[in-house]
Each structure stands twice: as structure tokens, then as C-alpha cells.
Amino acid sequence: MEFTVMTFNLRYNEKKDGNNDWPHRVDQAADLIRRYRPSAIGMQEGLRSMLDDLQARLPGYAWVGEGRGGGNEDEHNAIFYDTSLLCVQEWGQFWLSETPEQPNSVSWDSSLPRICTWARLQSIAEPGLEWMLYNTHLDHIGQEARVKGAALIRSRMERYVGMAAGADASAVGSLLPAVLTGDFNAWPSNPAIVQLRSELFDAYRLHDGEVGLTAHSFHGGSDGQPIDYIFASAGVCVLEAHVIHDNVDGRYPSDHYPVLARMRIEPCERE
């Protein structure tokens, strides 16, 4: 069955952004989501009030997640999903630290608490089809934190997911296929991304032409390298991917471009 998955860093509500602060962008962000109607979205930097704003403008979507400070505190890596296509069977969150269950925890050289939110999603049309969605935001300063944070995510994914890129779906047995979205704050040559690409399928392999930058500081353009990614495990066949450059008279819904991938997910047997 086919689904579309988006990763979208919303840019937190910062008054210093002037006419690019969230109240000036929320309608444009919601319009973009309605236009592409992704089955699921991994968002980054959403404060609770921002997520409530989007929820009010996106009937037919629901979301899960909590702030990196715990509860509603600070930025969320919320997972939005189309309730006509998917339902959440369970969800959770862990911190990218040496104490992953401790809210607001920081380790290594991370400048801030960093999190990964996950959900086990079930198809409404095919209830036997389930898959995992992981959504993260790696640190923008600490390289050790990026590498070890990515490794922690991979180890958590192994609880559900066969990791070998290109592996035959029948070989993963009871393990669920998975998609990993996020702002990784790392170019493709960064060791954190190199390692992920060795174990998971990078959706950009199906991108038509150069990918270009994905973080543009509200200036647009494409000259550069991406830091936002969508990865897929065995059992997920990525069909296409593209970076969305939509703007209205040079105004953008965020300082990051959303990335969208279309994929086919096959049912897996579970023990």
C-alpha cells in the first residue's frame, strides 16, 4: 500500500524573525500541508501553541508527541497523521542522551536536549499493515552528539526493524518496516549521515536531479546541501522523493524546505 511521508522543520516562533515569525507563516504552512496531503508528517521545532494552530487548520489530522523538556515544554518533534488513512497503535519518545528515558536530559557535546518521537502506525484500509515512523532533530553544534544520537536511534529502531538496506522484506519476519524523518543538521558527507545511509535507504536516491540545500534562512534558493532527510528500512520501497520549494511572492512557510517521499509499505508478519 502506498503512503506519502513528509519531514518539515517549522522554525520555532521567534519574534526576532519579524515578518517571518510564526503568526505570519502559519496559514501558509497549513496551506502547504493541505496541498500535498501527506499521510504522515515528521515535524521539528513545533512549540505546543504552534501545533495547536496547525491542528485547528488541518481537520482530518491528529498528532502525537511531547516537548523535549517533557510534557508540553519546549520544542516538539510531533508526528502528524491523516486519520482517514492511519491510526496510532502506540507511540513514545526518548531523549538522545545517556539517559534516554529522562526528560530534558543532555549528553556528550549536545548544546540542547534532543529527542526522537516514534509511532506505530496502522493502515485503516489494511489493518494488517503496520509500520513505524521515527522523527528526530539532531544537535546543530555537537558532532559527537549527532553521531551518538543517530546510533541511539538506530539501536532503538532495531527493537522493531530489520536494518539492512535493500534486504528482502520476507527476511525481517516479525520486525516492522520503518521510516525515519528529521532535521539531522548534517550534510551527506557527515559521518552520522554516512552511517545511516549504510543501513537505511536514503529517499534522496530517488530525487530527480541535484537535491540542493534544505535550510535556507527564509532566503530560498537551492545552492548547497541538504540537512533534512527521509530514510527507509527494509520492507519500505521508496518510489519518489522531492524537496518542496513552494513560496508565495518569495515568502516561505519556514526557513527549511519540506521534503516529501512517496513509498510503498508491505505487510509484515508479527510474532
Side-chain angles (χ1 to χ4, degrees), residues 234-264:
V236 180
C237 177
V238 178
L239 303 173
E240 62 179 347
H242 66 280
V243 179
I244 297 172
H245 297 94
D246 293 14
N247 65 88
V248 178
D249 298 326
R251 296 180 61 85
Y252 293 88
S254 178
D255 64 341
H256 287 239
Y257 295 127
V259 183
L260 186 70
R262 182 169 63 90
M263 57 193 65
R264 185 172 63 249

Side-chain angles (χ1 to χ4, degrees), residues 137-151:
H137 189 181
L138 298 187
D139 199 63
H140 65 301
I141 294 176
Q143 175 60 19
E144 182 185 13
R146 284 190 286 264
V147 171
K148 290 187 175 179

Side-chain angles (χ1 to χ4, degrees), residues 205-258:
R205 291 172 62 182
L206 276 296
H207 189 279
D208 185 17
E210 292 293 323
V211 176
L213 60 74
T214 55
H216 56 82
S217 301
F218 295 112
H219 299 308
S222 59
D223 186 18
Q225 300 184 67
I227 63 172
D228 303 271
Y229 299 84
I230 299 175
F231 295 101
S233 78
V236 180
C237 177
V238 178
L239 303 173
E240 62 179 347
H242 66 280
V243 179
I244 297 172
H245 297 94
D246 293 14
N247 65 88
V248 178
D249 298 326
R251 296 180 61 85
Y252 293 88
S254 178
D255 64 341
H256 287 239
Y257 295 127

Side-chain angles (χ1 to χ4, degrees), residues 21-86:
D21 70 357
W22 179 247
H24 290 92
R25 298 185 284 110
V26 56
D27 289 323
Q28 192 175 354
D31 286 346
L32 183 146
I33 292 169
R34 285 193 295 265
R35 186 178 312 123
Y36 290 92
R37 195 70 193 186
S39 309
I41 314 165
M43 296 181 182
Q44 302 87 39
E45 295 197 20
L47 302 173
R48 178 58 193 257
S49 60
M50 296 168 61
L51 302 175
D52 289 343
D53 288 341
L54 286 175
Q55 179 73 87
R57 291 163 170 80
L58 296 171
Y61 279 91
W63 66 275
V64 297
E66 63 176 306
R68 64 189 182 192
N72 295 326
E73 295 300 314
D74 213 335
E75 296 175 12
H76 296 54
N77 287 351
I79 294 174
F80 272 64
Y81 60 97
D82 184 335
T83 57
S84 70
L85 300 175
L86 298 166

Side-chain angles (χ1 to χ4, degrees), residues 44 67-69 77 92-118 134-140 142-157 180-185 192 196:
Q44 302 87 39
R68 64 189 182 192
N77 287 351
Q93 182 164 294
F94 55 92
W95 277 254
L96 305 185
S97 74
E98 294 175 331
T99 53
E101 310 308 325
Q102 178 63 46
N104 213 37
S105 56
V106 178
S107 294
W108 313 305
D109 58 354
S110 187
S111 63
L112 295 164
R114 297 295 182 178
I115 55 178
C116 181
T117 303
W118 60 268
Y134 294 82
N135 180 40
T136 195
H137 189 181
L138 298 187
D139 199 63
H140 65 301
Q143 175 60 19
E144 182 185 13
R146 284 190 286 264
V147 171
K148 290 187 175 179
L152 176 60
I153 293 168
R154 295 197 311 274
S155 71
R156 289 298 182 106
M157 290 175 72
L180 170 61
T181 60
D183 172 358
F184 292 80
N185 275 309
L196 286 171

